[in-house]
Amino acid sequence: MTEPPQPPPNQPPPPSGYGHLPGPPQQGYGYPPQGGNPYAQQPPTVPQPLARPGGYGFPPPGAPGAPAGPPSGGRRKGAVIVAAAVAGVLVLGAGAWFAFGSGDVGPKQPVAQGSAPADPKPSGSPSVDKGDGSGNGSAEQTDLNAGRKPGEDKVLWLKTVKLQGPGMGIPAKGQWVVGDTVAKTLGTAVVGYSVTDGKEKWRVDTRAEICGLTGQSTPDGRTVVVVKDGTGSNASCNQLKLIDLKAGKEGWTKEVAKEGMFDGGGSAGLNLTGDTVVVNRLGGTSAYRISTGDKLFSGNVPEGCQPTRYAAGNGKLLGIALCMDDDHIVEVQDADPVTGKKTWAYRLPKGWQVNGVYSVAPAVLDIGNRDTKERAVIALTADGKKRSAMAAEGSFTVNCGGSTLDDLQGCGDAAVDGDTLYLTTDTKGGGNNEIVAFDLATGKPKWRQAAGEKQGLTPLKAAGGQLIAYHTGTLDQPGEILSYPAAGGAPTTLLRLPSGPAAKIEGSFMFSRRSFEDGRFFLSVTSLAGNSTDEKLLMAFGK
């Protein structure tokens, strides 16, 4: 087996067992379209197998000291299967191999890390609001529970909207469930709806395009978004705003400081941990205090290895840093969330980069070689040493950066809890994918579960030794919400979604945000046509 070149002396050894992805370099993550209408609806995109130009930790191509970036390219569909005989595959034992690919699927939302599994018995059992075309319920006055079979649960409500957008579409990327409220971004507003009946509870007008957000919120129900400083084509993505999702109120607003010549751009990635929010932009990264909006630190350092992105979660930060040397080594740093001071560093071998972060604590990374296109998923110990590299039979969907919420931690179709990593295999366009549970101590699979013919399995979240997953049905058939024990074994059904007209609407949420909280399952769209016709926005299921 071919190993990448060894790192400099006195550095941790390179992660062993790297996968290989042949093919041309492609456009990286994190770069917004230039000069486009911010409301223009983009066709659903297929998550790419490569990271942003140069990988995380690398400045944009053309910046001083930056390696030459790969040329732009179209997105590829389908998984790349790598035979065990090919040099450089992830081989841990006879016949064990790990192939990475990008499935023919749309953007996925990040999986919540560290949130407790939901109580499958929520309070209340509201009736469906059938709606009258004014925004709540179905415009067709359909009884969505009419086809419900014995043992199936209910549609609680369906929220529709009728809006006219200034362009071809209206973005609706954000979704949070906090207490008795499910909140959505809707154009230049954040709107809160009751989880029981879908009625609008509050609306916060941001007055300009929301250009950065996170699916995370604080324990007391606050989140942070970034808004552009105007409505013109030259507006900057630099207005940091606190939103109280429980009260439905806007808090402080702070301008994001420009951290360097190349900092800025039309979008930002945000991540929260404790009282810290990190803001990742095109050419710089910085951290702010959530309670006050005060700046804590930036990734700018005078020498050594400079963080260009931070991942956050479980009370920790991971900095992805570019070392100012001839080899442009990428270093992963454990950083204090208040000061930014690193406590340990793990250096990747020359040519290797971080494509995405599955988990901050424990640290689980998707990495790749920008020249050979090899890639791997590795786990680190609590003190920053290599722990394991994942290896298993199958072609796995790897779409870190494919999320429309976050380009570093947006690793859809994945979850981490304790010593277990959950990944999904590629569907090959026909369903019947698998969830594979990996032991982070060894990198080997603990168990795998097939979805079934023309069905699919998607992790929603993992905590407390349980994985919560969405099991989609076949055409016009309902799905279900399942709970799998980390140790393996038969799943527990938490919700059986209803048959009939509800199943057809459920199946039409092709590129959706998905949340399961307090026994309720929420599906929402990420964009609207905005053509003054009734469109589905948000659907809720429960007991």
Side-chain angles (χ1 to χ4, degrees):
M1 183 180 79
T2 303
E3 290 283 355
Q6 296 298 311
N10 301 321
Q11 297 298 332
S16 62
Y18 290 95
H20 178 66
L21 272 179
Q26 301 189 23
Q27 176 71 27
Y29 296 118
Y31 289 86
Q34 298 299 313
N37 187 326
Y39 285 92
Q41 184 176 8
Q42 301 297 326
T45 55
V46 179
Q48 312 167 70
L50 300 181
R52 55 188 295 130
Y56 289 107
F58 283 76
S72 298
R75 297 176 183 260
R76 287 192 302 126
K77 295 183 179 181
V80 179
I81 309 297
V82 186
V86 177
V89 262
L90 261 164
V91 179
L92 285 191
W97 54 278
F98 194 84
F100 294 94
S102 63
D104 188 12
V105 293
K108 301 294 196 302
Q109 73 183 81
V111 175
Q113 181 179 310
S115 55
D119 181 355
K121 296 181 180 179
S123 58
S125 182
S127 61
V128 173
D129 183 347
K130 299 178 183 178
D132 57 7
S134 62
N136 285 299
S138 168
E140 298 179 358
Q141 301 288 315
T142 301
D143 181 355
L144 297 179
N145 288 315
R148 189 161 62 105
K149 297 177 180 178
E152 292 181 341
D153 297 304
K154 303 176 183 178
V155 175
L156 300 179
W157 47 268
L158 171 67
K159 177 72 177 179
T160 65
V161 292
K162 183 187 291 185
L163 298 172
Q164 179 63 51
M168 292 178 61
I170 298 173
K173 299 174 182 177
Q175 176 173 302
W176 305 267
V177 183
V178 176
D180 61 359
T181 301
V182 52
K184 281 289 295 177
T185 55
L186 191 58
T188 58
V190 182
V191 186
Y193 303 98
S194 168
V195 297
T196 57
D197 59 17
K199 299 293 186 181
E200 183 174 318
K201 298 177 64 177
W202 50 260
R203 179 180 294 257
V204 173
D205 182 10
T206 60
R207 300 171 292 282
E209 178 191 354
I210 298 172
C211 52
L213 53 89
T214 172
Q216 301 164 311
S217 60
T218 63
D220 60 355
R222 294 174 296 165
T223 193
V224 181
V225 300
V226 187
V227 176
K228 288 193 173 182
D229 61 3
T231 57
S233 59
N234 294 323
S236 297
C237 182
N238 64 5
Q239 299 297 301
L240 199 62
K241 289 182 180 290
L242 179 73
I243 306 291
D244 187 329
L245 299 171
K246 284 189 175 179
K249 295 181 180 180
E250 180 179 337
W252 50 257
T253 297
K254 301 283 185 175
E255 182 169 331
V256 179
K258 192 170 183 178
E259 300 298 341
M261 182 183 303
F262 294 94
D263 190 16
S267 66
L270 303 181
N271 291 303
L272 312 180
T273 189
D275 196 30
T276 298
V277 54
V278 292
V279 183
N280 297 322
R281 298 199 298 175
L282 180 62
T285 184
S286 50
Y288 294 80
R289 195 179 298 278
I290 295 174
S291 55
T292 64
D294 295 336
K295 184 178 177 180
L296 294 171
F297 58 88
S298 75
N300 285 341
V301 294
E303 58 185 16
C305 302
Q306 184 175 87
T308 62
R309 284 289 189 275
Y310 282 106
N314 284 351
K316 298 282 188 177
L317 289 185
L318 283 183
I320 311 302
L322 173 67
C323 298
M324 306 303 177
D325 53 27
D326 293 338
D327 293 330
H328 303 291
I329 296 295
V330 172
E331 183 177 272
V332 180
Q333 304 173 348
D334 179 72
D336 185 283
V338 177
T339 65
K341 183 179 180 181
K342 68 179 181 181
T343 54
W344 55 254
Y346 179 84
R347 305 194 93 190
L348 299 183
K350 179 181 177 181
W352 289 80
Q353 62 198 23
V354 175
N355 297 328
V357 177
Y358 287 104
S359 170
V360 174
V364 184
L365 312 171
D366 175 82
I367 62 176
N369 188 297
R370 62 182 181 270
D371 299 318
T372 65
K373 309 304 177 286
E374 295 169 291
R375 68 186 309 134
V377 172
I378 64 170
L380 304 181
T381 62
D383 58 355
K385 295 179 174 60
K386 184 199 165 185
R387 185 182 184 189
S388 64
M390 307 308 116
E393 294 183 0
S395 175
F396 287 78
T397 302
V398 179
N399 65 341
C400 288
S403 167
T404 57
L405 292 180
D406 171 43
D407 57 357
L408 178 60
Q409 288 180 257
C411 298
D413 293 340
V416 176
D417 175 43
D419 285 334
T420 307
L421 163 68
Y422 303 94
L423 293 178
T424 57
T425 61
D426 179 65
T427 64
K428 304 178 182 65
N432 194 24
N433 71 328
E434 293 179 292
I435 288 180
V436 181
F438 289 90
D439 185 341
L440 293 180
T442 65
K444 297 180 180 180
K446 299 164 64 174
W447 54 264
R448 53 201 309 152
Q449 176 68 50
E453 188 66 26
K454 296 183 179 179
Q455 299 177 72
L457 276 169
T458 303
L460 297 176
K461 62 181 180 179
Q466 296 288 320
L467 169 71
I468 308 299
Y470 176 36
H471 185 206
T472 59
T474 57
L475 183 64
D476 292 340
Q477 296 301 309
E480 56 187 349
I481 307 300
L482 303 175
S483 175
Y484 292 91
T492 300
T493 302
L494 303 181
L495 278 182
R496 296 184 188 276
L497 307 188
S499 302
K504 293 183 179 181
I505 298 175
E506 174 203 342
S508 68
F509 282 86
M510 296 296 293
F511 306 99
S512 58
R513 293 278 173 260
R514 303 160 181 168
S515 302
F516 182 74
E517 298 294 339
D518 192 28
R520 300 181 182 93
F521 179 52
F522 300 92
L523 280 172
S524 71
V525 299
T526 57
S527 64
L528 296 163
N531 55 8
S532 297
T533 60
D534 277 301
E535 300 178 75
K536 66 180 184 295
L537 173 69
L538 181 59
M539 194 173 191
F541 302 84
K543 297 289 186 181

